[in-house]
C-alpha cells in the first residue's frame, strides 16, 4: 500500500469513538503545553529555564497549532447525505 493513499481515508473522518477520544486528549494536551511553552518563551510565565527564550515561544506556537488542528479534526462532523463512505 502506498503511504499517500492512507492519509485521505482518515482526514476529517473520526468514526470510532475510541479514536476520537485519543485525538481529543492528544490535541488538548498539545494545545495546553504549547500555550505554556509559548508563555514562558515570551516571559509571561516565569520560573523556568525557558523564560524569555524566543525558541520556546516558537516551539509552543507549533505545538498549540498542531493541538488545535487535532481538535478540529476530532470534532468535525461528517457531511450529511453521504452514505456508504
Amino acid at each position: 500500500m502506498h503511504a499517500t493513499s492512507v492519509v485521505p481515508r482518515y482526514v476529517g473522518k473520526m468514526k470510532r469513538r475510541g479514536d476520537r477520544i485519543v485525538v481529543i486528549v492528544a490535541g488538548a494536551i498539545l494545545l495546553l503545553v504549547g500555550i505554556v511553552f509559548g508563555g514562558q518563551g515570551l516571559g509571561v510565565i516565569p520560573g523556568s529555564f525557558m523564560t524569555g527564550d524566543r525558541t520556546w515561544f516558537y516551539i509552543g506556537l507549533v505545538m498549540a497549532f498542531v493541538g488545535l488542528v487535532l481538535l478540529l479534526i476530532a470534532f468535525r462532523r461528517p457531511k450529511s447525505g453521504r452514505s456508504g463512505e
Side-chain angles (χ1 to χ4, degrees):
M1 179 182 283
H2 196 266
T4 57
S5 65
V6 175
V7 175
R9 280 196 313 189
Y10 294 106
V11 174
K13 295 182 182 180
M14 299 296 299
K15 293 183 180 179
R16 293 193 328 212
R17 187 172 186 218
D19 291 346
R20 185 179 299 254
I21 290 171
V22 168
V23 173
I24 289 170
V25 169
I29 289 171
L30 274 172
L31 181 61
L32 292 174
V33 171
I35 290 170
V36 170
F37 279 19
Q40 288 182 334
L42 289 175
V44 176
I45 304 172
S48 81
F49 67 92
M50 297 188 292
T51 302
D53 186 353
R54 288 282 176 145
T55 303
W56 292 106
F57 168 71
Y58 297 120
I59 291 170
L61 189 65
V62 170
M63 289 176 71
F65 179 75
V66 171
L68 185 62
V69 169
L70 288 176
L71 288 172
L72 290 173
I73 289 171
F75 286 119
R76 184 174 179 187
R77 299 277 182 223
K79 293 181 181 178
S80 61
R82 298 180 103 185
S83 60
E85 285 188 36

mmCIF file of all heavy atoms in Angstrom, residues 32-78:
data_model
loop_
_atom_site.group_PDB
_atom_site.id
_atom_site.type_symbol
_atom_site.label_atom_id
_atom_site.label_comp_id
_atom_site.label_asym_id
_atom_site.label_seq_id
_atom_site.Cartn_x
_atom_site.Cartn_y
_atom_site.Cartn_z
ATOM 1 N N LEU A 32 -2.521 22.845 25.359
ATOM 2 C CA LEU A 32 -2.187 23.420 26.667
ATOM 3 C C LEU A 32 -0.681 23.546 26.882
ATOM 4 O O LEU A 32 -0.193 24.587 27.348
ATOM 5 C CB LEU A 32 -2.811 22.591 27.782
ATOM 6 C CG LEU A 32 -4.332 22.647 27.869
ATOM 7 C CD1 LEU A 32 -4.851 21.664 28.914
ATOM 8 C CD2 LEU A 32 -4.802 24.051 28.183
ATOM 9 N N VAL A 33 0.063 22.510 26.539
ATOM 10 C CA VAL A 33 1.520 22.559 26.693
ATOM 11 C C VAL A 33 2.110 23.610 25.758
ATOM 12 O O VAL A 33 3.025 24.348 26.143
ATOM 13 C CB VAL A 33 2.149 21.166 26.447
ATOM 14 C CG1 VAL A 33 3.662 21.245 26.389
ATOM 15 C CG2 VAL A 33 1.722 20.197 27.539
ATOM 16 N N GLY A 34 1.565 23.718 24.563
ATOM 17 C CA GLY A 34 2.029 24.735 23.626
ATOM 18 C C GLY A 34 1.797 26.142 24.155
ATOM 19 O O GLY A 34 2.649 27.024 24.016
ATOM 20 N N ILE A 35 0.642 26.364 24.785
ATOM 21 C CA ILE A 35 0.366 27.675 25.363
ATOM 22 C C ILE A 35 1.334 27.984 26.502
ATOM 23 O O ILE A 35 1.847 29.102 26.612
ATOM 24 C CB ILE A 35 -1.112 27.746 25.838
ATOM 25 C CG1 ILE A 35 -2.042 27.772 24.624
ATOM 26 C CG2 ILE A 35 -1.347 28.956 26.730
ATOM 27 C CD1 ILE A 35 -3.510 27.591 24.968
ATOM 28 N N VAL A 36 1.607 26.988 27.338
ATOM 29 C CA VAL A 36 2.559 27.201 28.440
ATOM 30 C C VAL A 36 3.953 27.474 27.893
ATOM 31 O O VAL A 36 4.636 28.410 28.338
ATOM 32 C CB VAL A 36 2.565 25.989 29.402
ATOM 33 C CG1 VAL A 36 3.709 26.079 30.397
ATOM 34 C CG2 VAL A 36 1.230 25.888 30.135
ATOM 35 N N PHE A 37 4.396 26.675 26.937
ATOM 36 C CA PHE A 37 5.721 26.902 26.345
ATOM 37 C C PHE A 37 5.803 28.290 25.715
ATOM 38 O O PHE A 37 6.799 28.993 25.870
ATOM 39 C CB PHE A 37 6.032 25.847 25.290
ATOM 40 C CG PHE A 37 6.528 24.525 25.828
ATOM 41 C CD1 PHE A 37 6.322 24.162 27.151
ATOM 42 C CD2 PHE A 37 7.177 23.641 25.002
ATOM 43 C CE1 PHE A 37 6.769 22.945 27.635
ATOM 44 C CE2 PHE A 37 7.629 22.421 25.476
ATOM 45 C CZ PHE A 37 7.419 22.065 26.795
ATOM 46 N N GLY A 38 4.756 28.664 24.978
ATOM 47 C CA GLY A 38 4.747 29.983 24.352
ATOM 48 C C GLY A 38 4.780 31.094 25.386
ATOM 49 O O GLY A 38 5.489 32.088 25.226
ATOM 50 N N GLY A 39 4.003 30.943 26.451
ATOM 51 C CA GLY A 39 4.002 31.941 27.518
ATOM 52 C C GLY A 39 5.344 32.060 28.203
ATOM 53 O O GLY A 39 5.798 33.160 28.544
ATOM 54 N N GLN A 40 6.012 30.952 28.413
ATOM 55 C CA GLN A 40 7.341 31.002 29.012
ATOM 56 C C GLN A 40 8.352 31.597 28.047
ATOM 57 O O GLN A 40 9.233 32.350 28.458
ATOM 58 C CB GLN A 40 7.773 29.602 29.450
ATOM 59 C CG GLN A 40 7.017 29.135 30.674
ATOM 60 C CD GLN A 40 7.463 27.777 31.162
ATOM 61 O OE1 GLN A 40 7.967 26.954 30.393
ATOM 62 N NE2 GLN A 40 7.270 27.529 32.437
ATOM 63 N N GLY A 41 8.233 31.270 26.785
ATOM 64 C CA GLY A 41 9.148 31.822 25.794
ATOM 65 C C GLY A 41 9.034 33.331 25.680
ATOM 66 O O GLY A 41 10.017 34.023 25.433
ATOM 67 N N LEU A 42 7.825 33.867 25.873
ATOM 68 C CA LEU A 42 7.625 35.318 25.830
ATOM 69 C C LEU A 42 7.931 35.997 27.167
ATOM 70 O O LEU A 42 7.939 37.212 27.247
ATOM 71 C CB LEU A 42 6.176 35.630 25.431
ATOM 72 C CG LEU A 42 5.799 35.333 23.992
ATOM 73 C CD1 LEU A 42 4.302 35.579 23.783
ATOM 74 C CD2 LEU A 42 6.618 36.167 23.024
ATOM 75 N N GLY A 43 8.132 35.196 28.213
ATOM 76 C CA GLY A 43 8.415 35.759 29.530
ATOM 77 C C GLY A 43 7.158 36.074 30.321
ATOM 78 O O GLY A 43 7.232 36.685 31.387
ATOM 79 N N VAL A 44 5.987 35.663 29.832
ATOM 80 C CA VAL A 44 4.725 35.905 30.528
ATOM 81 C C VAL A 44 4.590 34.971 31.730
ATOM 82 O O VAL A 44 4.058 35.357 32.769
ATOM 83 C CB VAL A 44 3.530 35.714 29.556
ATOM 84 C CG1 VAL A 44 2.208 35.857 30.271
ATOM 85 C CG2 VAL A 44 3.633 36.699 28.407
ATOM 86 N N ILE A 45 5.058 33.749 31.583
ATOM 87 C CA ILE A 45 5.026 32.757 32.668
ATOM 88 C C ILE A 45 6.469 32.547 33.139
ATOM 89 O O ILE A 45 7.259 31.896 32.457
ATOM 90 C CB ILE A 45 4.417 31.430 32.191
ATOM 91 C CG1 ILE A 45 3.026 31.662 31.615
ATOM 92 C CG2 ILE A 45 4.373 30.421 33.333
ATOM 93 C CD1 ILE A 45 2.411 30.458 30.954
ATOM 94 N N PRO A 46 6.834 33.091 34.297
ATOM 95 C CA PRO A 46 8.218 32.964 34.772
ATOM 96 C C PRO A 46 8.459 31.645 35.513
ATOM 97 O O PRO A 46 7.529 30.913 35.814
ATOM 98 C CB PRO A 46 8.341 34.145 35.734
ATOM 99 C CG PRO A 46 6.969 34.330 36.271
ATOM 100 C CD PRO A 46 6.036 33.952 35.138
ATOM 101 N N GLY A 47 9.728 31.376 35.777
ATOM 102 C CA GLY A 47 10.072 30.287 36.678
ATOM 103 C C GLY A 47 10.749 29.079 36.072
ATOM 104 O O GLY A 47 10.817 28.038 36.711
ATOM 105 N N SER A 48 11.245 29.170 34.864
ATOM 106 C CA SER A 48 11.972 28.027 34.310
ATOM 107 C C SER A 48 13.083 28.530 33.389
ATOM 108 O O SER A 48 13.184 29.717 33.102
ATOM 109 C CB SER A 48 11.030 27.102 33.538
ATOM 110 O OG SER A 48 10.785 27.575 32.243
ATOM 111 N N PHE A 49 13.892 27.598 32.930
ATOM 112 C CA PHE A 49 14.978 27.949 32.017
ATOM 113 C C PHE A 49 14.455 28.435 30.664
ATOM 114 O O PHE A 49 15.186 29.050 29.907
ATOM 115 C CB PHE A 49 15.919 26.750 31.812
ATOM 116 C CG PHE A 49 15.278 25.593 31.085
ATOM 117 C CD1 PHE A 49 15.383 25.488 29.706
ATOM 118 C CD2 PHE A 49 14.565 24.632 31.775
ATOM 119 C CE1 PHE A 49 14.804 24.438 29.029
ATOM 120 C CE2 PHE A 49 13.980 23.572 31.110
ATOM 121 C CZ PHE A 49 14.105 23.473 29.736
ATOM 122 N N MET A 50 13.173 28.186 30.379
ATOM 123 C CA MET A 50 12.586 28.585 29.106
ATOM 124 C C MET A 50 12.134 30.046 29.111
ATOM 125 O O MET A 50 11.864 30.609 28.050
ATOM 126 C CB MET A 50 11.376 27.703 28.775
ATOM 127 C CG MET A 50 11.732 26.251 28.591
ATOM 128 S SD MET A 50 10.356 25.252 27.993
ATOM 129 C CE MET A 50 9.251 25.254 29.374
ATOM 130 N N THR A 51 12.057 30.665 30.282
ATOM 131 C CA THR A 51 11.533 32.014 30.405
ATOM 132 C C THR A 51 12.383 33.003 29.611
ATOM 133 O O THR A 51 13.594 33.085 29.790
ATOM 134 C CB THR A 51 11.476 32.441 31.884
ATOM 135 O OG1 THR A 51 10.658 31.512 32.587
ATOM 136 C CG2 THR A 51 10.903 33.829 32.042
ATOM 137 N N GLY A 52 11.728 33.733 28.724
ATOM 138 C CA GLY A 52 12.399 34.767 27.939
ATOM 139 C C GLY A 52 13.153 34.269 26.727
ATOM 140 O O GLY A 52 13.747 35.064 26.004
ATOM 141 N N ASP A 53 13.140 32.961 26.459
ATOM 142 C CA ASP A 53 13.838 32.401 25.304
ATOM 143 C C ASP A 53 12.845 32.227 24.160
ATOM 144 O O ASP A 53 11.924 31.417 24.239
ATOM 145 C CB ASP A 53 14.464 31.057 25.676
ATOM 146 C CG ASP A 53 15.329 30.469 24.577
ATOM 147 O OD1 ASP A 53 15.353 31.034 23.462
ATOM 148 O OD2 ASP A 53 16.000 29.456 24.842
ATOM 149 N N ARG A 54 13.000 33.008 23.103
ATOM 150 C CA ARG A 54 12.052 33.005 21.979
ATOM 151 C C ARG A 54 11.940 31.648 21.288
ATOM 152 O O ARG A 54 10.934 31.347 20.658
ATOM 153 C CB ARG A 54 12.451 34.054 20.930
ATOM 154 C CG ARG A 54 12.211 35.454 21.345
ATOM 155 C CD ARG A 54 10.740 35.772 21.207
ATOM 156 N NE ARG A 54 10.483 37.117 21.710
ATOM 157 C CZ ARG A 54 9.611 37.931 21.211
ATOM 158 N NH1 ARG A 54 8.897 37.551 20.187
ATOM 159 N NH2 ARG A 54 9.431 39.108 21.730
ATOM 160 N N THR A 55 12.954 30.815 21.408
ATOM 161 C CA THR A 55 12.898 29.483 20.809
ATOM 162 C C THR A 55 11.702 28.714 21.351
ATOM 163 O O THR A 55 10.981 28.052 20.603
ATOM 164 C CB THR A 55 14.195 28.699 21.100
ATOM 165 O OG1 THR A 55 15.301 29.452 20.610
ATOM 166 C CG2 THR A 55 14.167 27.334 20.455
ATOM 167 N N TRP A 56 11.462 28.822 22.653
ATOM 168 C CA TRP A 56 10.348 28.113 23.276
ATOM 169 C C TRP A 56 9.008 28.702 22.864
ATOM 170 O O TRP A 56 8.004 28.001 22.818
ATOM 171 C CB TRP A 56 10.503 28.091 24.792
ATOM 172 C CG TRP A 56 11.668 27.238 25.162
ATOM 173 C CD1 TRP A 56 12.876 27.664 25.604
ATOM 174 C CD2 TRP A 56 11.756 25.819 25.061
ATOM 175 N NE1 TRP A 56 13.716 26.581 25.792
ATOM 176 C CE2 TRP A 56 13.047 25.448 25.463
ATOM 177 C CE3 TRP A 56 10.861 24.833 24.661
ATOM 178 C CZ2 TRP A 56 13.455 24.126 25.484
ATOM 179 C CZ3 TRP A 56 11.281 23.509 24.694
ATOM 180 C CH2 TRP A 56 12.558 23.173 25.101
ATOM 181 N N PHE A 57 8.989 29.985 22.545
ATOM 182 C CA PHE A 57 7.760 30.578 22.022
ATOM 183 C C PHE A 57 7.390 29.934 20.695
ATOM 184 O O PHE A 57 6.238 29.559 20.469
ATOM 185 C CB PHE A 57 7.915 32.092 21.847
ATOM 186 C CG PHE A 57 6.805 32.704 21.044
ATOM 187 C CD1 PHE A 57 5.534 32.814 21.577
ATOM 188 C CD2 PHE A 57 7.024 33.141 19.751
ATOM 189 C CE1 PHE A 57 4.496 33.362 20.831
ATOM 190 C CE2 PHE A 57 6.001 33.684 19.006
ATOM 191 C CZ PHE A 57 4.731 33.801 19.542
ATOM 192 N N TYR A 58 8.362 29.782 19.809
ATOM 193 C CA TYR A 58 8.091 29.193 18.501
ATOM 194 C C TYR A 58 7.737 27.709 18.612
ATOM 195 O O TYR A 58 6.854 27.219 17.907
ATOM 196 C CB TYR A 58 9.269 29.408 17.555
ATOM 197 C CG TYR A 58 9.515 30.873 17.276
ATOM 198 C CD1 TYR A 58 10.722 31.481 17.600
ATOM 199 C CD2 TYR A 58 8.522 31.655 16.711
ATOM 200 C CE1 TYR A 58 10.935 32.826 17.354
ATOM 201 C CE2 TYR A 58 8.721 33.004 16.467
ATOM 202 C CZ TYR A 58 9.930 33.582 16.794
ATOM 203 O OH TYR A 58 10.119 34.913 16.560
ATOM 204 N N ILE A 59 8.413 26.990 19.488
ATOM 205 C CA ILE A 59 8.076 25.579 19.714
ATOM 206 C C ILE A 59 6.649 25.474 20.251
ATOM 207 O O ILE A 59 5.859 24.642 19.804
ATOM 208 C CB ILE A 59 9.090 24.925 20.677
ATOM 209 C CG1 ILE A 59 10.456 24.809 20.001
ATOM 210 C CG2 ILE A 59 8.591 23.559 21.145
ATOM 211 C CD1 ILE A 59 11.579 24.392 20.928
ATOM 212 N N GLY A 60 6.306 26.324 21.209
ATOM 213 C CA GLY A 60 4.959 26.335 21.767
ATOM 214 C C GLY A 60 3.909 26.705 20.738
ATOM 215 O O GLY A 60 2.809 26.149 20.731
ATOM 216 N N LEU A 61 4.246 27.627 19.865
ATOM 217 C CA LEU A 61 3.320 28.039 18.816
ATOM 218 C C LEU A 61 2.993 26.869 17.888
ATOM 219 O O LEU A 61 1.828 26.627 17.551
ATOM 220 C CB LEU A 61 3.926 29.198 18.025
ATOM 221 C CG LEU A 61 3.039 29.908 17.029
ATOM 222 C CD1 LEU A 61 1.903 30.614 17.752
ATOM 223 C CD2 LEU A 61 3.859 30.908 16.237
ATOM 224 N N VAL A 62 4.009 26.129 17.502
ATOM 225 C CA VAL A 62 3.806 24.963 16.633
ATOM 226 C C VAL A 62 2.991 23.893 17.363
ATOM 227 O O VAL A 62 2.049 23.315 16.806
ATOM 228 C CB VAL A 62 5.158 24.396 16.140
ATOM 229 C CG1 VAL A 62 4.979 23.057 15.448
ATOM 230 C CG2 VAL A 62 5.848 25.391 15.222
ATOM 231 N N MET A 63 3.332 23.635 18.626
ATOM 232 C CA MET A 63 2.600 22.630 19.401
ATOM 233 C C MET A 63 1.130 23.007 19.554
ATOM 234 O O MET A 63 0.241 22.167 19.411
ATOM 235 C CB MET A 63 3.240 22.448 20.771
ATOM 236 C CG MET A 63 4.581 21.760 20.732
ATOM 237 S SD MET A 63 5.362 21.678 22.353
ATOM 238 C CE MET A 63 4.336 20.498 23.173
ATOM 239 N N ALA A 64 0.862 24.269 19.858
ATOM 240 C CA ALA A 64 -0.516 24.725 20.021
ATOM 241 C C ALA A 64 -1.281 24.614 18.699
ATOM 242 O O ALA A 64 -2.451 24.218 18.686
ATOM 243 C CB ALA A 64 -0.537 26.162 20.535
ATOM 244 N N PHE A 65 -0.632 24.935 17.604
ATOM 245 C CA PHE A 65 -1.273 24.831 16.287
ATOM 246 C C PHE A 65 -1.622 23.384 15.966
ATOM 247 O O PHE A 65 -2.737 23.085 15.524
ATOM 248 C CB PHE A 65 -0.365 25.420 15.204
ATOM 249 C CG PHE A 65 -0.946 25.314 13.827
ATOM 250 C CD1 PHE A 65 -1.968 26.150 13.429
ATOM 251 C CD2 PHE A 65 -0.471 24.364 12.932
ATOM 252 C CE1 PHE A 65 -2.526 26.044 12.161
ATOM 253 C CE2 PHE A 65 -1.012 24.251 11.670
ATOM 254 C CZ PHE A 65 -2.041 25.102 11.279
ATOM 255 N N VAL A 66 -0.695 22.466 16.202
ATOM 256 C CA VAL A 66 -0.949 21.041 15.935
ATOM 257 C C VAL A 66 -2.076 20.539 16.837
ATOM 258 O O VAL A 66 -2.965 19.799 16.389
ATOM 259 C CB VAL A 66 0.335 20.202 16.123
ATOM 260 C CG1 VAL A 66 0.036 18.716 16.077
ATOM 261 C CG2 VAL A 66 1.366 20.569 15.069
ATOM 262 N N GLY A 67 -2.074 20.954 18.098
ATOM 263 C CA GLY A 67 -3.144 20.560 19.008
ATOM 264 C C GLY A 67 -4.493 21.067 18.547
ATOM 265 O O GLY A 67 -5.499 20.347 18.592
ATOM 266 N N LEU A 68 -4.532 22.298 18.083
ATOM 267 C CA LEU A 68 -5.778 22.876 17.589
ATOM 268 C C LEU A 68 -6.278 22.142 16.344
ATOM 269 O O LEU A 68 -7.478 21.857 16.213
ATOM 270 C CB LEU A 68 -5.576 24.358 17.289
ATOM 271 C CG LEU A 68 -6.811 25.143 16.883
ATOM 272 C CD1 LEU A 68 -7.832 25.138 18.007
ATOM 273 C CD2 LEU A 68 -6.430 26.566 16.530
ATOM 274 N N VAL A 69 -5.378 21.806 15.450
ATOM 275 C CA VAL A 69 -5.757 21.050 14.246
ATOM 276 C C VAL A 69 -6.313 19.677 14.627
ATOM 277 O O VAL A 69 -7.333 19.236 14.082
ATOM 278 C CB VAL A 69 -4.563 20.914 13.276
ATOM 279 C CG1 VAL A 69 -4.847 19.909 12.168
ATOM 280 C CG2 VAL A 69 -4.204 22.269 12.686
ATOM 281 N N LEU A 70 -5.678 19.004 15.581
ATOM 282 C CA LEU A 70 -6.181 17.703 16.026
ATOM 283 C C LEU A 70 -7.577 17.821 16.623
ATOM 284 O O LEU A 70 -8.449 16.993 16.368
ATOM 285 C CB LEU A 70 -5.225 17.074 17.046
ATOM 286 C CG LEU A 70 -3.907 16.549 16.507
ATOM 287 C CD1 LEU A 70 -3.026 16.049 17.649
ATOM 288 C CD2 LEU A 70 -4.142 15.440 15.502
ATOM 289 N N LEU A 71 -7.801 18.863 17.414
ATOM 290 C CA LEU A 71 -9.128 19.070 17.996
ATOM 291 C C LEU A 71 -10.174 19.358 16.918
ATOM 292 O O LEU A 71 -11.296 18.850 16.985
ATOM 293 C CB LEU A 71 -9.089 20.203 19.021
ATOM 294 C CG LEU A 71 -8.372 19.875 20.323
ATOM 295 C CD1 LEU A 71 -8.231 21.120 21.184
ATOM 296 C CD2 LEU A 71 -9.099 18.778 21.083
ATOM 297 N N LEU A 72 -9.810 20.152 15.933
ATOM 298 C CA LEU A 72 -10.749 20.437 14.846
ATOM 299 C C LEU A 72 -11.086 19.178 14.057
ATOM 300 O O LEU A 72 -12.235 18.972 13.668
ATOM 301 C CB LEU A 72 -10.177 21.505 13.916
ATOM 302 C CG LEU A 72 -10.101 22.920 14.497
ATOM 303 C CD1 LEU A 72 -9.373 23.846 13.539
ATOM 304 C CD2 LEU A 72 -11.486 23.441 14.804
ATOM 305 N N ILE A 73 -10.112 18.330 13.828
ATOM 306 C CA ILE A 73 -10.356 17.067 13.124
ATOM 307 C C ILE A 73 -11.260 16.163 13.954
ATOM 308 O O ILE A 73 -12.198 15.558 13.442
ATOM 309 C CB ILE A 73 -9.026 16.353 12.787
ATOM 310 C CG1 ILE A 73 -8.293 17.102 11.687
ATOM 311 C CG2 ILE A 73 -9.275 14.908 12.372
ATOM 312 C CD1 ILE A 73 -6.881 16.602 11.448
ATOM 313 N N ALA A 74 -11.000 16.085 15.260
ATOM 314 C CA ALA A 74 -11.780 15.198 16.124
ATOM 315 C C ALA A 74 -13.228 15.657 16.260
ATOM 316 O O ALA A 74 -14.139 14.835 16.348
ATOM 317 C CB ALA A 74 -11.132 15.113 17.499
ATOM 318 N N PHE A 75 -13.469 16.970 16.275
ATOM 319 C CA PHE A 75 -14.821 17.484 16.457
ATOM 320 C C PHE A 75 -15.564 17.728 15.147
ATOM 321 O O PHE A 75 -16.724 18.121 15.166
ATOM 322 C CB PHE A 75 -14.798 18.772 17.279
ATOM 323 C CG PHE A 75 -14.516 18.520 18.737
ATOM 324 C CD1 PHE A 75 -13.392 19.061 19.336
ATOM 325 C CD2 PHE A 75 -15.370 17.747 19.496
ATOM 326 C CE1 PHE A 75 -13.128 18.834 20.672
ATOM 327 C CE2 PHE A 75 -15.121 17.511 20.833
ATOM 328 C CZ PHE A 75 -13.997 18.056 21.426
ATOM 329 N N ARG A 76 -14.909 17.497 14.049
ATOM 330 C CA ARG A 76 -15.542 17.715 12.749
ATOM 331 C C ARG A 76 -16.640 16.681 12.526
ATOM 332 O O ARG A 76 -16.443 15.488 12.708
ATOM 333 C CB ARG A 76 -14.488 17.597 11.650
ATOM 334 C CG ARG A 76 -15.008 17.896 10.291
ATOM 335 C CD ARG A 76 -13.892 17.906 9.296
ATOM 336 N NE ARG A 76 -14.439 18.175 7.980
ATOM 337 C CZ ARG A 76 -13.763 18.115 6.877
ATOM 338 N NH1 ARG A 76 -12.490 17.795 6.918
ATOM 339 N NH2 ARG A 76 -14.321 18.370 5.725
ATOM 340 N N ARG A 77 -17.780 17.151 12.118
ATOM 341 C CA ARG A 77 -18.924 16.279 11.852
ATOM 342 C C ARG A 77 -18.875 15.808 10.405
ATOM 343 O O ARG A 77 -18.589 16.604 9.506
ATOM 344 C CB ARG A 77 -20.234 17.009 12.084
ATOM 345 C CG ARG A 77 -20.402 17.499 13.491
ATOM 346 C CD ARG A 77 -20.922 16.374 14.333
ATOM 347 N NE ARG A 77 -21.131 16.863 15.693
ATOM 348 C CZ ARG A 77 -20.789 16.183 16.749
ATOM 349 N NH1 ARG A 77 -20.216 15.025 16.629
ATOM 350 N NH2 ARG A 77 -21.005 16.657 17.959
ATOM 351 N N PRO A 78 -19.209 14.539 10.170
ATOM 352 C CA PRO A 78 -19.269 14.079 8.779
ATOM 353 C C PRO A 78 -20.377 14.811 8.031
ATOM 354 O O PRO A 78 -21.397 15.159 8.606
ATOM 355 C CB PRO A 78 -19.565 12.591 8.885
ATOM 356 C CG PRO A 78 -19.685 12.275 10.314
ATOM 357 C CD PRO A 78 -19.488 13.502 11.113
#
